[in-house]
Each structure stands twice: as structure tokens, then as C-alpha cells.
């Protein structure tokens, strides 16, 4: 398990593991939010919310383990699971089968999300879904919160004036969405780059599966994934604060990926990191 602290503008910590075709599961603190469930671990299972990108088993295969961990930890709050609409019916069948197998109701609340839809989440956050391009239906997500901002026409008013307006029953603020992070895994580059929301997120957690010539950018595209050579120019135009690259192919060793990513970050002058273990080689 690898942890990144202070990734992005909000000092978020990302903990998890992600290898393409193998297992992907992440959890973000302080927001109690987990991303996919290709494996389960303690902090991952403690989340309030789980965002499911798609139904490949390396992204949902440990769902039963995650729910068992919650039951064994006596967590009473149901896990809020956000599921893309194209897979929602099958996902409900999966949960029904898991529940039948253990003869217990599962402590979950499933929220179906459609492309472009914005849903309110526990913890006063919201999520918006963006369809990606993969071999099966797959959604990326942008997550944020609603803050209250002073109405533009009231800028310059002193505190006493605002208090008087409030006292007279006037609303002095407007709601405004603030983005916290974006998550885009298992997609072609075209699927990622079509959405401007990803290119300016404070923290973008983004797949980059292929990193050398053994798989070409066009082969990566056919496989439904991103190649670093295609991603690099887009990263140079990224306007957010930090990018965390995930989902590398296991053909690339962790120590090589760290060195390659450090070169890339230096070349671009940006906070770009890759989620890999601190070991030289993969251990699984
Ligand atoms: Zn996939």
C-alpha cells in the first residue's frame, strides 16, 4: 500500500494500490471516500462513500471483502456506493447474490448516477459523472463541495451592513461549487481529454497504463487505456495543482516508474507523481 500526503491544494492523503488488470482501490483522507474496490484494506473499508468506475473485476472484485470488513468493524452506517447507470442493474444483481450467499442484508445504499448527473453525497459533498471510453461502460468523477460566497453586488459592504441585510431577511450569499478532486481511470486518452473538468481539477487521479515502446500509443488506445507519450502534452497544459498517475501495467517496475515520473515532473515543472510501492519490484 502506498500513501501520498499533501497531494493537491487541500492536503489530501491518497492511500491505495493500483496496477492495470490486477487490482485498483484507493482511499482519500480527510474525505472518507474510496475509489473502486479491486482490493480492500482497513482505511479503504472505513469510507463513507465508494465511487465505482466500471465493472471490470480488478476494480470491483473485493467488494464483498470490503463489506465484510465493515461488518466485522461494527460500522453501522451503510456504505454509500455510487454506480454508473449503464451497470446499475447488474450491480444490484451482484449485491443481491452476495447478500444471498452470506444470508445477511448488506449495509449499503446504492446511488445510480447517469452521465453528466450531479449527486449529493454524505459529508456535504457532491459528485458529477463523466463518461470515459473503455472496453466496457466506465465513468470518471469530479468531486467537490458547495460553499456560500458573498453576492457580487454586496462586495465592499462592511459587516454591520451585511448584518442589517440578514436581519431584514435578505440572503447575502450564493451557493458556489468548489472542486476537490477528479478521478479518471480506465479510459482512452480521447475519453479523458474530452472533459475540460479533468484538466483543471486541484488534484487529478488519472490512469496511465503504458510507459514505454513495448505498447505503442495506438495499441494503448485499442486496449482502452492511456500511454504516457499521448498524455505528456496534455499534462503540460494541465491547470490544476497535482496529478497522481495510477494503474500502470505490471510490465513496468515500481523503481523505474518512480524515476520516469520524476523526470517527467521536472521536465513539465508540475506536481506529477505515480502511485507505486516503495519497493524496487512488484510483490504479488
Ligand atoms: Zn477496466
Amino acid at each position: 500500500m502506498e500513501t501520498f500526503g499533501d497531494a493537491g491544494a487541500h492536503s489530501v492523503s491518497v492511500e491505495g494500490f493500483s496496477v492495470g488488470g490486477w487490482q485498483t482501490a484507493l482511499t482519500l483522507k480527510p474525505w472518507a471516500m474510496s475509489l473502486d474496490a479491486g482490493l480492500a484494506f482497513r482505511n479503504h473499508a472505513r469510507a463513507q462513500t465508494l465511487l465505482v468506475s466500471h465493472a471490470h473485476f480488478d476494480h470491483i472484485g473485493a467488494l464483498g471483502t470490503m463489506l465484510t470488513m465493515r461488518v466485522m468493524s461494527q460500522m453501522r452506517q451503510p456504505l454509500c456506493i455510487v454506480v454508473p447507470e449503464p451497470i446499475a442493474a447488474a450491480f444490484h444483481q451482484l449485491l443481491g447474490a452476495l447478500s444471498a450467499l452470506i444470508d445477511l442484508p448488506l449495509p449499503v445504499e446504492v446511488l445510480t448516477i447517469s452521465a453528466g448527473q450531479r449527486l449529493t453525497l454524505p459529508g456535504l459533498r457532491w459528485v458529477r459523472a463523466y463518461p470515459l471510453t473503455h472496453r466496457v461502460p466506465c465513468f470518471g468523477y469530479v468531486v467537490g463541495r458547495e460553499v456560500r460566497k458573498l453576492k457580487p453586488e454586496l462586495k465592499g459592504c462592511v459587516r454591520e451592513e451585511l448584518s442589517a441585510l440578514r436581519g431584514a431577511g435578505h440572503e447575502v450569499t450564493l451557493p458556489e461549487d468548489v472542486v476537490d478532486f477528479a478521478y479518471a481511470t480506465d479510459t482512452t486518452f480521447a475519453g479523458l481529454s474530452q472533459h475540460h473538468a479533468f484538466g483543471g481539477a486541484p488534484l487529478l487521479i488519472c490512469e496511465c497504463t503504458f510507459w514505454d515502446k513495448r505498447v505503442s500509443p495506438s495499441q494503448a488506445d485499442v486496449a482502452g487505456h492511456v500511454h504516457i507519450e499521448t498524455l505528456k502534452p496534455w499534462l503540460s497544459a494541465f491547470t490544476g495543482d497535482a496529478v497522481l498517475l495510477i494503474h500502470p501495467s505490471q510490465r513496468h517496475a515500481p523503481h523505474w516508474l518512480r524515476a520516469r515520473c520524476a523526470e517527467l515532473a521536472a521536465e513539465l515543472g508540475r506536481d506529477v507523481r505515480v502511485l507505486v510501492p516503495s519497493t524496487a519490484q512488484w510483490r504479488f
Side-chain angles (χ1 to χ4, degrees):
M1 212 64 56
E2 192 72 357
T3 302
F4 287 94
D6 297 328
H10 306 292
S11 296
V12 61
S13 157
V14 181
E15 182 183 2
F17 182 85
S18 179
V19 172
W22 204 258
Q23 291 171 316
T24 289
L26 309 169
T27 193
L28 282 79
K29 290 193 281 185
W31 303 321
M33 187 167 295
S34 288
L35 311 175
D36 284 330
L39 75 162
F41 50 95
R42 184 181 294 271
N43 287 337
H44 177 261
R46 283 181 174 153
Q48 284 182 313
T49 305
L50 171 67
L51 303 183
V52 171
S53 64
H54 68 301
H56 277 154
F57 293 172
D58 56 321
H59 290 258
I60 64 163
L63 187 62
T65 309
M66 183 185 188
L67 295 174
T68 295
M69 286 178 170
R70 292 176 75 84
V71 171
M72 295 306 287
S73 305
Q74 299 183 331
M75 291 186 70
R76 291 190 175 84
Q77 187 184 31
L79 176 66
C80 174
I81 308 180
V82 176
V83 179
E85 185 277 330
I87 64 165
F91 195 86
H92 277 283
Q93 289 176 353
L94 171 66
L95 289 174
L98 290 173
S99 178
L101 283 167
I102 60 169
D103 196 22
L104 283 174
L106 294 178
V108 297
E109 179 194 1
V110 177
L111 299 179
T112 300
I113 192 165
S114 302
Q117 189 180 4
R118 178 189 190 275
L119 287 181
T120 301
L121 298 177
L124 301 174
R125 302 208 113 73
W126 52 261
V127 60
R128 193 183 295 278
Y130 294 82
L132 301 171
T133 313
H134 192 44
R135 286 167 292 160
V136 295
C138 184
F139 281 3
Y141 297 106
V142 172
V143 175
R145 66 209 132 86
E146 191 177 280
V147 298
R148 306 290 307 188
K149 289 274 178 75
L150 192 65
K151 287 181 174 176
E153 63 269 28
L154 298 178
K155 279 183 182 160
C157 289
V158 296
R159 186 178 298 176
E160 290 75 14
E161 290 173 304
L162 295 175
S163 295
L165 284 169
R166 281 198 196 92
H170 294 288
E171 181 53 70
V172 300
T173 61
L174 289 171
E176 186 174 304
D177 281 347
V178 173
V179 172
D180 286 323
F181 77 95
Y183 177 55
T185 190
D186 287 42
T187 181
T188 63
F189 175 71
L192 167 76
S193 59
Q194 68 182 314
H195 301 300
H196 294 301
F198 293 137
L203 168 63
L204 173 64
I205 301 168
C206 174
E207 85 127 282
C208 186
T209 305
F210 300 110
W211 288 67
D212 67 17
K213 291 192 166 99
R214 283 176 286 177
V215 174
S216 71
S218 58
Q219 286 171 319
D221 204 51
V222 170
H225 290 295
V226 172
H227 194 288
I228 192 65
E229 290 307 321
T230 320
L231 188 63
K232 194 169 146 185
W234 186 84
L235 286 178
S236 71
F238 178 73
T239 58
D241 297 322
V243 178
L244 180 60
L245 299 174
I246 61 165
H247 202 268
S249 163
Q250 60 185 286
R251 55 171 60 76
H252 309 302
H255 72 97
W256 184 87
L257 284 165
R258 272 196 304 278
R260 180 75 187 86
C261 191
E263 289 167 10
L264 180 72
E267 186 182 334
L268 298 176
R270 297 188 175 275
D271 186 358
V272 180
R273 311 182 209 180
V274 62
L275 184 81
V276 288
S278 53
T279 52
Q281 304 295 332
W282 297 109
R283 288 184 184 163
F284 50 71

